[in-house]
Amino acid sequence: MGILSRLTPLVGVPVGLTAAGVFVWQASFAAFSATTTDGVDNWAAGSVSFGANAPATAMFTASGLKPGSNGTACVKITYTGSLAASVRLYLKNADLGGTGLAGYLTFQVNEGTGSAADCSDFVSSANDYNAVGMGDTTKTLAAFNTASNSYATGVSGWAATANTTKTYQFKWQVQDNNAANGTTASATFTWEAQNT
């Protein structure tokens, strides 16, 4: 066997290693790169909210009532949310109390405009409950609670936008029914807005 044939394998190893190194070097430095970004992205949720002009105290505080006793009160609601919303009025089951007078209070709700709590400047634009008025004794405070006790069953459906107002007029009258004798009623009404 000649010297040349013995050297060929020895020379082939360094040449192979050198060639592999060249390929690795080329692969490591074969790509340029660049990136770009946009400006800072921001998200902020819109709001559904009411102004502070709902009454801090009760609309009605009446005692010594008898058949025919009645009352009227108005409350102006301001919607201050940034999202368009549908506002509904209802009376939660948990917010109707007393010992049974709610079943003998004929009840009506209207909506419109005006600022006076005594409704002296109220102008009606729609009836929300009991279109007939005090003559329909089936439309009681208790019946209103049965029909409208959550947002899903609430009345009005006022399409509110930021800083708009709606005035609600509440009317009641004690029915001429001896079963109302000595009974009481209490109610806390809820206005709820849900964005549209």
Side-chain angles (χ1 to χ4, degrees):
M1 191 188 237
I3 293 176
L4 185 56
S5 60
R6 278 188 240 146
L7 288 176
T8 301
L10 295 176
V11 171
V13 172
V15 170
L17 289 174
T18 303
V22 169
F23 289 125
V24 170
W25 176 81
Q26 287 179 342
S28 299
F29 297 96
F32 293 109
S33 68
T35 62
T36 187
T37 61
D38 67 347
V40 177
D41 296 302
N42 294 285
W43 287 264
S47 63
V48 288
S49 58
F50 292 105
N53 61 343
T57 58
M59 289 185 286
F60 301 107
T61 302
S63 60
L65 301 178
K66 58 186 180 181
S69 293
N70 61 73
T72 302
C74 283
V75 57
K76 183 177 181 180
I77 302 295
T78 301
Y79 178 73
T80 57
S82 63
L83 300 173
S86 178
V87 177
R88 295 184 188 179
L89 166 69
Y90 57 92
L91 176 57
K92 296 178 188 176
N93 291 333
D95 290 339
L96 177 65
T99 59
L101 184 57
Y104 304 103
L105 286 177
T106 303
F107 185 66
Q108 183 182 51
V109 182
N110 299 300
E111 63 180 66
T113 59
S115 298
D118 66 359
C119 303
S120 57
D121 62 350
F122 178 73
V123 177
S124 180
S125 61
N127 172 260
D128 290 335
Y129 183 73
N130 187 1
V132 174
M134 299 302 103
D136 186 352
T137 57
T138 66
K139 301 294 187 183
T140 64
L141 181 60
F144 178 79
N145 167 249
T146 299
S148 303
N149 52 41
S150 68
Y151 182 83
T153 58
V155 299
S156 183
W158 164 32
T161 56
N163 299 313
T164 55
T165 64
K166 182 73 68 177
T167 301
Y168 292 83
Q169 180 192 58
F170 296 84
K171 290 184 165 185
W172 60 269
Q173 181 172 295
V174 178
Q175 295 177 6
D176 187 5
N177 189 320
N178 197 54
N181 184 26
T183 59
T184 62
S186 64
T188 302
F189 297 96
T190 297
W191 285 265
E192 182 176 341
Q194 291 189 9
N195 67 282
T196 54

